[in-house]
Amino acid sequence: MVNRLKTPYLDGERLDLGGLPVRLTVNPRARRVSLRIDRARREAVAIAPTPRRLADAAAFAHSRRAWIRERLAALPADRALGGAEPLAVFGAPWRLIPDGRRPRLIAAADAPPRLTGCGAGEVDGQLVARAVKREALEVFAAQAEVHCRALRVETPPVSIMDARTRWGSCTAARPGRAASIRLSWRLALAPLAVADYVVAHECAHLIEANHGPRFWALVRRLVGDETRHRAWLRAHGTGLHAYR
């Protein structure tokens, strides 16, 4: 059942429409009830402009069950890192060698990087993920230092996160709170230029908290035209978020 006479729907409430996950949300900027697919969370989102319209949003989602089912079914399944093929990390193909040794990334000038010890006999996706996260943090920290130096701001601590809803976040410095930057480790599976754009994006937020013209001017100072990188993330981001 969708319509409820006594108990109102709540912002953030999740519904089960015959096995289809739907989350209700209020967006005051919305002009009408609408529906979208949250690819990272693998659920539909029914949007209402006001709390009073949440019931309308729930009813609209119920009426579009076939559309929701079709869109969710088209999402790529979760997958582990690894396999017979080399794994591209920041665009560089890693050879995965499950030789049972201690995990170690070996880089050589005349050969692709090798990740040894990523399993015993067959590749262990969790061991590969740990190595990718270590590499991601090292690269992110180095790139953040470059961009912060260009912006003439102090480089804050950089950490990685496992979120599937955003690529990065920035906490600007305030009295009693230090600045920090967090970035999705899955960006390591994107080309280096794309990942670097996200790092620059978060560094620019240390100066401009919004996405106004001055913010984008800062980003373009750091990485040039960002539109191609944003387009890459829109086209391939769902596939990256499928990795666990």
Side-chain angles (χ1 to χ4, degrees):
M1 296 294 292
V2 172
N3 293 323
R4 294 187 293 194
L5 299 178
K6 296 182 179 181
T7 305
Y9 288 100
L10 301 175
D11 186 15
E13 181 175 350
R14 283 178 165 78
L15 308 177
D16 184 343
L17 302 186
L20 301 174
V22 176
R23 174 165 46 94
L24 302 178
T25 187
V26 175
N27 183 350
R29 292 176 295 180
R31 296 184 177 180
R32 61 183 182 278
V33 166
S34 62
L35 192 65
R36 69 176 178 85
I37 297 297
D38 186 328
R39 296 182 176 183
R41 294 180 175 175
R42 308 182 71 85
E43 64 184 7
V45 181
I47 304 165
T50 65
R52 290 186 177 183
R53 299 291 306 278
L54 284 172
D56 296 334
F60 183 60
H62 189 272
S63 71
R64 300 296 305 276
R65 295 191 310 279
W67 181 89
I68 295 172
R69 183 176 293 105
E70 178 183 343
R71 294 302 187 279
L72 291 179
L75 295 178
D78 283 353
R79 49 184 174 172
L81 293 173
E85 298 297 324
L87 176 68
V89 180
F90 293 116
W94 283 14
R95 287 182 56 206
L96 306 179
I97 305 174
D99 56 7
R101 300 179 183 179
R102 184 176 180 179
R104 181 185 177 195
L105 180 62
I106 303 173
D110 57 348
R114 292 176 292 154
L115 179 63
T116 64
C118 54
E122 61 182 40
V123 173
D124 184 326
Q126 291 187 345
L127 292 177
V128 176
R130 290 176 194 169
V132 171
K133 291 175 183 179
R134 286 195 298 269
E135 182 73 4
L137 182 56
E138 183 175 333
V139 171
F140 294 156
Q143 293 305 109
E145 184 174 354
V146 170
H147 294 315
C148 287
R149 187 182 306 119
L151 295 172
R152 297 184 178 180
V153 297
E154 184 176 351
T155 305
V158 177
S159 61
I160 59 172
M161 62 183 183
D162 195 45
R164 295 193 182 190
T165 57
R166 57 171 56 188
W167 295 114
S169 67
C170 172
T171 300
R174 294 180 182 176
R177 186 181 71 179
S180 64
I181 287 176
R182 302 176 69 220
L183 297 153
S184 169
W185 67 268
R186 294 177 179 85
L187 284 168
L189 306 176
L192 178 59
V194 174
D196 185 48
Y197 151 68
V198 180
V199 178
H201 184 116
E202 300 308 330
C203 290
H205 276 314
L206 293 169
I207 298 175
E208 292 289 337
N210 54 46
H211 288 96
R214 289 191 297 181
F215 167 81
W216 289 113
L218 290 174
V219 172
R220 288 165 192 145
R221 270 180 52 193
L222 299 174
V223 297
D225 181 11
E226 84 290 348
T227 56
R228 64 190 186 279
H229 305 315
R230 297 172 67 185
W232 193 97
L233 288 171
R234 285 194 298 271
H236 304 282
T238 300
L240 265 58
H241 279 136
Y243 284 107
R244 51 182 170 79

